Amino acid sequence: MTLDEAQIRARLPHAGNMCLLRAVSECDAHGIVCQADSHRHADNPLRSLTGLGAANAVEYAAQAMALHAMLQRPLARLLPGELMPHGVLASVRRLVLHRSRIDDLQGDLSIWAMAV
């Protein structure tokens, strides 16, 4: 399954520039692979005066996880009166950052999220 930016925006609650993902190149029950170029955008809402810190990559991963969950339970499969379940990223553990910033990366980001 592949999705473009408009299809992603229709499935995530993030509005405007806060929707960080540009495309989905792979998605199945086991995981998702997304691409993003918003780390290079000057109007990225996560950017500070010093740039886009590497810890912000967690938000990219969280959006990929949320999108994967949405694609596994499309609205058409909701029961009448049932609300779309909400997910929460409760913690991040053992995060190792190998660089201080990601806005200086030239290529697109590839974001992988796997169901466990």
Side-chain angles (χ1 to χ4, degrees):
M1 167 188 295
T2 61
L3 297 175
D4 62 23
E5 189 171 0
Q7 293 168 312
I8 292 169
R9 288 179 182 271
R11 288 168 171 83
L12 289 179
H14 302 77
N17 296 341
M18 196 54 211
C19 186
L20 302 173
L21 305 176
R22 181 182 41 81
V24 172
S25 58
E26 298 177 39
C27 184
D28 60 24
H30 305 291
I32 190 168
V33 180
C34 303
Q35 285 71 46
D37 58 5
S38 58
H39 63 293
R40 296 189 306 265
H41 297 177
D43 62 350
N44 185 310
L46 302 176
R47 183 182 289 270
S48 72
L49 294 176
T50 59
L52 186 62
N56 289 296
V58 172
E59 178 61 25
Y60 285 83
Q63 288 190 24
M65 291 166 37
L67 184 56
H68 183 257
M70 290 290 284
L71 294 170
Q72 297 309 302
R73 183 78 186 260
L75 293 175
R77 289 182 19 208
L78 289 176
L79 300 173
E82 183 180 10
L83 298 175
M84 178 56 70
H86 290 87
V88 176
L89 179 59
S91 71
V92 175
R93 297 180 186 169
R94 292 184 280 171
L95 176 66
V96 177
L97 301 173
H98 296 280
R99 57 185 309 117
S100 61
R101 296 173 41 199
I102 60 173
D103 58 315
D104 57 349
L105 294 171
Q106 297 303 309
D108 286 356
L109 298 178
S110 183
I111 303 100
W112 296 34
M114 296 183 299
V116 292

